[in-house]
Amino acid sequence: MLNRIPFLVFLLLSPLAGVGQDFPARPVRIVVPWPPSGNVDITARTIARAFSDALGQQVLVENRAGAGGTIGSVAVVKSAADGYTLLLGSSGTVTSGPAVLRNLSYDPLRDLVAIGPIQSVPIVLTVAPKTPVSSFQEYFSLARSRPGRMSIASAGNGSSNHLAIELLMRQANLKLLHVPYKGSGPALTDLIGSQVESMMDQLTASIGHIRQGRIKALAISSLKRSALLTEVPTLDEAGVKGYEASTFTGIFVPAGVSQIVIDKLSTALRKALAVESVRERYRSMGVDVMDMGRAEFVAYVRADYEKWQRVAHEGNIVVE
């Protein structure tokens, strides 16, 4: 009887050992929790074909927009933990957004598992045509001479741009007048028309207006300069030491997915990101491909989440 126990244990455990071995046996979905044509959507569609090739199975992109990205994110959190439903997560849905949303129905660190990064987008500090500055040092001096009166626009309360502004005010010891808009589009329109004096926004949204001379770029939020604006210094170079506020995108799955499936997805994603046509497309968008392993990305996401939690708490930023 005793000799039969190991065999019975083997029979009980053997199905678990095979979980994920045949993955993927059918198409995989990447849920984009934002509308089509935005930065996150373009990011997903750029990687989808190469990701399909690397997995050996079709990868489909599905937009499930609404409620600031939470509808699509919750759908993934509640999906079957089998690796067939992925989230194209970003700062707005995984780190900075959850830091300010009061009634968020998921915990990004507990309910989502990071597979790997895709790209990061620097935020650029720009000024209106009539704002009488041409460098960050001049902007800093003007803002210090008018505490709380230098207006600076963002895409909305609680947005990654808003939090970047809060971080700038703390690290540079500035008091600025935050003007939240309902999206980058109307904010940029008012910036171009000099109805607002300055703005912080993703480079992908501002680069065209900068190149055409409609607005002036003063500094980039990443720790290294953008290849698209090599003459524009980073905020760290401009004197705000250690400042970094780039937004990111990456692939996530719901908690509970087997390690075998996680490893397969992570390996395929890295292979897809190594395709030169994919990298070139991202470079043309003004974003940086994030070349890091899964463990490094997991640590990156946690650190970014904790950073924005501190910024939100210190700035008393809460979005209902």
Side-chain angles (χ1 to χ4, degrees):
M1 181 65 182
L2 291 175
N3 291 335
R4 294 180 60 191
I5 292 177
F7 179 68
L8 290 174
V9 172
F10 171 77
L11 288 178
L12 289 171
L13 293 180
S14 57
L16 297 178
V19 171
Q21 292 287 0
D22 62 345
F23 178 87
R26 63 179 189 272
V28 174
R29 289 184 305 144
I30 299 178
V31 174
V32 174
W34 303 98
S37 301
N39 172 63
V40 179
D41 180 66
I42 294 170
T43 295
R45 295 182 188 281
T46 297
I47 198 72
R49 179 174 293 182
F51 201 11
S52 297
D53 293 341
L55 276 175
Q57 187 60 260
Q58 188 177 18
V59 174
L60 307 172
V61 176
E62 175 185 334
N63 296 90
R64 298 195 65 173
T70 61
I71 289 177
S73 300
V74 170
V76 173
V77 166
K78 293 183 176 180
S79 68
D82 54 15
Y84 287 97
T85 303
L86 317 179
L87 173 69
L88 203 296
S90 62
S91 304
T93 53
V94 180
T95 58
S96 61
V100 298
L101 292 169
R102 184 189 295 278
N103 298 313
L104 193 66
S105 61
Y106 65 94
D107 183 323
L109 299 186
R110 182 193 64 210
D111 299 330
L112 292 169
V113 175
I115 294 299
I118 297 178
Q119 47 95 333
S120 65
V121 185
I123 293 172
V124 60
L125 172 64
T126 54
V127 291
K130 293 182 180 179
T131 303
V133 300
S134 57
S135 68
F136 177 76
Q137 287 74 21
E138 292 177 358
Y139 178 86
F140 178 85
S141 297
L142 183 60
R144 288 295 292 270
S145 72
R146 301 165 52 205
R149 290 185 291 138
M150 171 74 81
S151 59
I152 184 163
S154 79
N157 274 321
S159 65
S160 55
N161 311 352
H162 176 197
L163 292 178
I165 291 168
E166 293 289 338
L167 186 65
L168 176 63
M169 287 195 285
R170 276 151 184 75
Q171 289 193 213
N173 192 25
L174 285 177
K175 284 192 69 176
L176 302 170
L177 176 62
H178 174 227
V179 183
Y181 283 78
K182 293 183 178 179
S184 293
L188 281 165
T189 297
D190 276 7
L191 184 70
I192 292 166
S194 293
Q195 276 77 49
V196 65
E197 294 169 285
S198 59
M199 182 177 179
M200 289 193 83
D201 197 15
Q202 275 75 14
L203 179 60
T204 46
S206 300
I207 185 65
H209 300 299
I210 294 168
R211 285 173 167 169
Q212 292 170 16
R214 296 192 185 103
I215 55 179
K216 294 176 284 185
L218 301 185
I220 291 284
S221 71
S222 52
L223 288 176
K224 65 177 183 178
R225 295 192 183 197
S226 168
L228 299 184
L229 293 173
T230 56
E231 75 285 358
V232 176
T234 67
L235 280 162
D236 178 78
E237 291 174 324
V240 190
K241 293 302 179 183
Y243 186 94
E244 196 276 327
S246 297
T247 60
F248 72 88
T249 60
I251 296 291
F252 296 78
V253 293
V257 172
S258 75
Q259 191 61 48
I260 291 174
V261 171
I262 288 172
D263 291 342
K264 286 185 176 183
L265 288 168
S266 179
T267 298
L269 180 61
R270 295 200 73 179
K271 184 176 180 181
L273 281 175
V275 175
E276 184 54 35
S277 60
V278 172
R279 300 177 75 87
E280 178 54 38
R281 171 62 173 139
Y282 286 139
R283 283 195 291 266
S284 71
M285 292 167 56
V287 306
D288 297 315
V289 174
M290 296 176 72
D291 292 312
M292 62 175 68
R294 198 181 84 82
E296 188 180 356
F297 182 54
V298 169
Y300 175 92
V301 170
R302 178 174 291 278
D304 201 56
Y305 176 81
E306 292 173 350
K307 176 174 78 174
W308 294 123
Q309 285 279 335
R310 289 192 299 271
V311 172
H313 176 73
E314 291 168 4
N316 194 29
I317 306 168
V318 177
V319 177
E320 300 291 344

